[in-house]
Amino acid sequence: MSELLPRLLGVLRDHLGLNLQKIHPRVTRRLYAGRATVRHCDGTCCRGGATVSVAERDRVLRHADIVSAAMTSPARRDPSRWFSRRLSFDADFTAGWTTWTRVADGACVFYRSDGLCALQVAGSERLGSPFALKPSVCLLWPLCIQDRTLEVGYAWFTRRKECCAPVKVGGRRTILEVMGSDERLIAQMSRPENSRGGGPPGPRGARPPEPPCAPRSGAGR
C-alpha cells in the first residue's frame, strides 16, 4: 500500500478537481478495526447529501437524461430539484464555487432505493466509467480534503466500525487499507475524460458560471 500511495496522491492532486497541497499524518495511522472495509458500506454517509463543485454540478446537468433514468428519487424528472441554489466559495476545490446535492425522503436525491448511487450507475452504464459523474467528495470518502490537506474523514456519525468509522483504541488498519485502492481504479480516475484537473481556485471575486439549462426529463418526448 505504501508503494501505491504516491500514485494515488498524484491522481487526487491532478485529476479530482481538488486543491491538495499536503497530507495529514493521520492518513498513515492505524485508526480502524482489523476487518474494516468500505465494501461493508450501507450508504449511511450518503443520506445527508454532498458538496459538489459548480463544474461537477454542470456536468451532471448536461447529462440530465441519463442521470434521471438511473434515479429512483421522486425528484428524478426535475433537475432543478437536484442541487441547492445557494453557492459557497471553498478553496479546497479547484472550481472555487460549490453547492450541495439536495436531500429528498431522508437521503441524497441521487441515492437509489437499492443503495447505489445514480451518478455512479449512469456513469458506468452510459459513459464508460463509474467516476464520470460522481462528485469528487464521494469518490474520495472516507478520505477528505480539509484546508488543502488530505485528511481522514471521521465517519463517527455512521457508528459502523466494520466500515469506515474509526475506533478509539486497538486500531489495526490504515484508511488506505480500509479503502483498498488499486491500480485499476487509479488508472480510471486519471483518464482524460474523467479528469477534473486540480490545484488552487481562481480569485474569489470571479463570478461563478450559471448552470446549464436542463429540461425536465421527458420534455419534448
Side-chain angles (χ1 to χ4, degrees):
M1 186 63 68
S2 60
E3 297 178 357
L4 195 62
L5 182 58
R7 291 189 288 280
L8 176 61
L9 292 176
V11 170
L12 302 184
R13 183 186 64 243
D14 300 331
H15 297 291
L16 284 190
L18 298 170
N19 183 16
L20 171 60
Q21 297 185 14
K22 54 185 177 179
I23 306 170
H24 196 284
R26 275 190 287 263
V27 170
T28 58
R29 292 175 184 166
R30 300 186 183 279
L31 303 174
Y32 299 87
R35 295 184 179 179
T37 171
V38 293
R39 284 153 183 75
H40 293 155
C41 176
D42 68 350
T44 299
C45 54
C46 303
R47 298 189 179 277
T51 303
V52 299
S53 72
V54 292
E56 291 174 324
R57 173 203 64 187
D58 294 352
R59 179 166 172 79
V60 169
L61 292 176
R62 285 194 294 270
H63 291 87
D65 283 350
I66 66 172
V67 171
S68 176
M71 294 172 67
T72 60
S73 166
R76 63 185 178 276
R77 299 191 183 277
D78 187 0
S80 69
R81 297 172 59 191
W82 296 355
F83 299 97
S84 170
R85 294 183 179 180
R86 296 181 61 186
L87 298 179
S88 176
F89 190 87
D90 190 333
D92 288 337
F93 288 81
T94 301
W97 293 95
T98 63
T99 186
W100 301 267
T101 63
R102 286 184 169 174
V103 172
D105 293 339
C108 172
V109 293
F110 300 113
Y111 183 73
R112 298 178 9 146
S113 56
D114 60 4
L116 300 178
C117 170
L119 296 178
Q120 183 167 333
V121 171
S124 181
E125 294 183 351
R126 302 295 297 275
L127 299 177
S129 171
F131 306 122
L133 298 173
K134 195 164 184 175
S136 58
V137 165
C138 304
L139 289 173
L140 191 57
W141 187 259
L143 283 168
C144 67
I145 304 293
Q146 185 172 346
D147 297 327
R148 297 169 296 282
T149 302
L150 184 65
E151 170 67 289
V152 169
Y154 278 94
W156 56 267
F157 60 90
T158 70
R159 300 182 180 179
R160 303 191 73 248
K161 296 176 182 178
E162 70 274 24
C163 183
C164 60
V167 295
K168 292 183 178 179
V169 294
R172 299 182 62 185
R173 308 194 82 186
T174 68
I175 187 64
L176 296 178
E177 292 170 326
V178 170
M179 294 177 70
S181 301
D182 60 35
E183 294 283 7
R184 180 181 60 84
L185 297 178
I186 290 174
Q188 281 199 39
M189 286 192 289
S190 61
R191 282 163 53 179
E193 61 269 30
N194 296 330
S195 179
R196 302 160 204 193
R204 180 168 183 167
R207 183 180 177 83
E210 295 294 327
C213 294
R216 292 192 178 195
S217 178
R221 298 180 183 174

